[in-house]
């Protein structure tokens, strides 16, 4: 969902309780567009940043939510003990990373302990894997960490929803 385009504020529980309740009831993820509050403007940047995203997580701890664009930097607050608890339902997408950040971001995410919550390509994979491989290599991320970032974290998240995986790797329908 793109809150700016759809006209709602993610930090206002009066505006989000229905969608949060539906996601919880159906056992599905919620994907929210989020952007960094600083830096250059770009089409679709929006006004939802780390503060608003954190408020959504605090208001709706029962909903597992994926924030686009690394949550606009929200992942950084996973290094704070109180916020790690408040953000236990938050995950972060890599969408548009090559347009916004250099490879040091990935190394920082891994060092912060938030690497297990990074998901590749969930906010519409606007860039293919070939654009990300050099960033992983430059950040020194390989082996099991690279596998986690490129799919393993996503599978663990889907399994945590209680959705059985089919033999061919897909999810059973709702």
């Amino acid at each position: 969902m793109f809150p700016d385009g759809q006209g709602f504020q993610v930090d206002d529980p009066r505006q989000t309780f229905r969608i949060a309740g539906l996601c919880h009831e159906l056992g599905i993820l919620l994907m929210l567009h989020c952007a960094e509050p600083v830096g250059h403007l770009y089409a679709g940047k929006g006004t939802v940043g780390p503060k608003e995203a954190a408020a959504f997580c605090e208001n709706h701890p029962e909903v597992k939510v994926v924030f686009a664009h690394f949550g606009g930097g929200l992942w950084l607050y996973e290094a704070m003990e109180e916020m790690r608890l408040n953000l236990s339902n938050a995950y972060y997408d890599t969408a548009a990373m090559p347009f916004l950040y250099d490879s040091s971001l990935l190394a920082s995410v891994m060092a912060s302990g938030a690497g297990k919550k990074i998901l590749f390509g969930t906010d519409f994979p606007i860039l293919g894997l070939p654009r990300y491989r050099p960033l992983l290599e430059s950040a020194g991320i390989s082996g099991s960490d690279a596998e986690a970032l490129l799919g393993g974290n996503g599978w663990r998240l889907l399994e945590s929803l209680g959705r059985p995986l089919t033999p061919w790797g897909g999810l059973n329908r709702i």
Side-chain angles (χ1 to χ4, degrees), residues 28-165:
I28 59 175
L29 296 169
L30 178 62
M31 174 81 190
L32 289 172
H33 188 272
C34 194
E36 59 291 332
V38 298
H40 69 279
L41 293 176
Y42 51 86
K45 184 168 183 167
T47 60
V48 176
K51 182 178 178 182
E52 295 81 11
F56 181 89
C57 289
E58 292 170 13
N59 292 334
H60 304 291
E62 73 284 3
V63 178
K64 293 192 181 188
V65 60
V66 179
F67 293 105
H69 307 279
F70 289 91
L74 183 60
W75 67 270
L76 179 63
Y77 299 98
E78 296 267 355
M80 296 172 64
E81 189 173 339
E82 69 184 89
M83 291 307 294
R84 189 176 319 112
L85 178 62
N86 290 342
L87 299 174
S88 62
N89 57 332
Y91 295 82
Y92 311 99
D93 179 65
T94 61
M97 182 191 163
F99 297 132
L100 300 171
Y101 307 105
D102 63 32
S103 63
S104 65
L105 174 77
L106 289 173
S108 298
V109 168
M110 298 305 284
S112 76
K116 65 185 180 291
K117 298 175 84 177
I118 302 299
L119 307 172
F120 174 75
T122 52
D123 181 31
F124 186 78
I126 57 177
L127 299 171
L129 185 56
R131 278 298 289 273
Y132 287 88
R133 284 266 183 223
L135 294 171
L136 290 170
E137 292 168 8
S138 178
I141 297 172
S142 61
S144 62
D145 285 339
E147 288 177 20
L149 291 176
L150 297 175
N153 292 341
W155 284 117
R156 277 191 299 284
L157 175 57
L158 292 173
E159 288 171 344
S160 76
L161 293 172
R163 290 289 200 247
L165 302 176

